């Protein structure tokens, strides 16, 4: 299945619910919920950082000033960004689910995102945001970005118990 959504966080939330719902036939309820959260995080990243070109620093400052939704709405209404869409393809087949999320932004250098390091002092520091990719890496068996960094492939394997 293929979907295209606008830059609405509500739409991203609704779609993540819709396309993870069928996983209840293959995974425990807790695993489906965390898969949904991880997928939603990737969709939100595609909207915020991809299509709306909001940097980590801009989002941090807006969250600290309690003006995040003003920033989001400003970018959503900006002629440079308002027509951009996020494309989502997904395939549910015996033994796995595959999601491909693509935004229309410039991408990012995904090689600069470190693997989660539980021994790192930064791992214990609370953050207002910036954990989406880390969550996805913990939930999905494969998280692979294209070279520009505006498309990510997510794969989760499971024991298929359906006929």
């Amino acid at each position: 299945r293929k979907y295209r959504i606008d830059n609405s966080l509500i739409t991203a939330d609704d779609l993540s619910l819709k396309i993870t719902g069928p996983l209840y036939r293959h995974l425990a309820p807790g695993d489906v919920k965390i898969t949904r959260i991880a997928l939603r995080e990737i969709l939100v990243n595609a909207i915020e950082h991809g299509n709306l070109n909001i940097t980590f620093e801009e989002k941090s400052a807006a969250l600290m000033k309690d003006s995040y939704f003003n920033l989001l709405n400003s970018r959503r209404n900006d002629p440079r960004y308002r027509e951009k869409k996020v494309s989502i393809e997904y395939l549910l087949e015996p033994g796995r689910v595959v999601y491909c999320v693509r935004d229309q932004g410039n991408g990012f250098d995904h090689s600069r995102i470190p693997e989660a390091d539980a021994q790192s002092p930064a791992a214990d520091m609370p953050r207002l945001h910036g954990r989406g990719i880390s969550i996805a890496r913990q939930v999905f068996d494969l998280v692979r970005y294209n070279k520009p960094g505006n498309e990510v492939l997510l794969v989760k394997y499971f024991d298929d118990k359906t006929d």
Side-chain angles (χ1 to χ4, degrees):
R1 294 196 174 254
K2 297 180 184 182
Y3 298 90
R4 280 176 57 98
I5 62 171
D6 62 7
N7 294 310
S8 163
L9 300 185
I10 292 171
T11 303
D13 192 53
D14 290 346
L15 183 61
S16 69
L17 180 62
K18 179 179 181 172
I19 64 178
T20 57
L23 298 181
Y24 283 101
R25 293 187 353 235
H26 306 278
L27 297 170
D31 291 335
V32 175
K33 288 177 185 171
I34 193 67
T35 301
R36 177 181 178 242
I37 290 168
L39 178 61
R40 183 190 178 282
E41 288 292 323
I42 294 298
L43 293 173
V44 168
N45 281 352
I47 291 169
E48 290 178 340
H49 305 301
N51 286 353
L52 300 180
N53 199 32
I54 297 172
T55 66
F56 183 89
E57 294 76 20
E58 288 172 323
K59 184 174 179 180
S60 296
L63 287 169
M64 293 300 291
K65 292 189 291 187
D66 202 24
S67 63
Y68 167 72
F69 289 107
N70 292 337
L71 173 62
L72 194 63
N73 288 330
S74 171
R75 292 292 174 92
R76 288 182 64 208
N77 293 316
D78 186 316
R80 294 174 293 172
Y81 309 117
R82 72 174 161 228
E83 299 301 320
K84 292 187 177 189
K85 305 288 184 199
V86 175
S87 300
I88 304 97
E89 294 183 44
Y90 96 96
L91 172 67
L92 177 60
E93 58 186 12
R96 72 179 185 163
V97 63
V98 179
Y99 301 98
C100 183
V101 177
R102 175 187 271 275
D103 63 60
Q104 293 182 310
N106 295 325
F108 75 108
D109 184 359
H110 48 90
S111 68
R112 294 188 58 192
I113 305 295
E115 292 293 329
D117 180 6
Q119 304 304 316
S120 167
D124 294 330
M125 294 178 58
R127 297 188 325 192
L128 295 174
H129 69 100
R131 297 178 302 261
I133 294 172
S134 177
I135 292 169
R137 285 178 174 164
Q138 291 174 8
V139 170
F140 290 98
D141 298 299
L142 175 67
V143 176
R144 183 173 51 208
Y145 285 88
N146 67 352
K147 186 170 179 144
N150 67 340
E151 179 179 290
V152 61
L153 182 69
L154 308 164
V155 180
K156 182 159 188 69
Y157 296 103
F158 43 80
D159 293 329
D160 194 353
K161 294 178 172 65
T162 61
D163 294 329

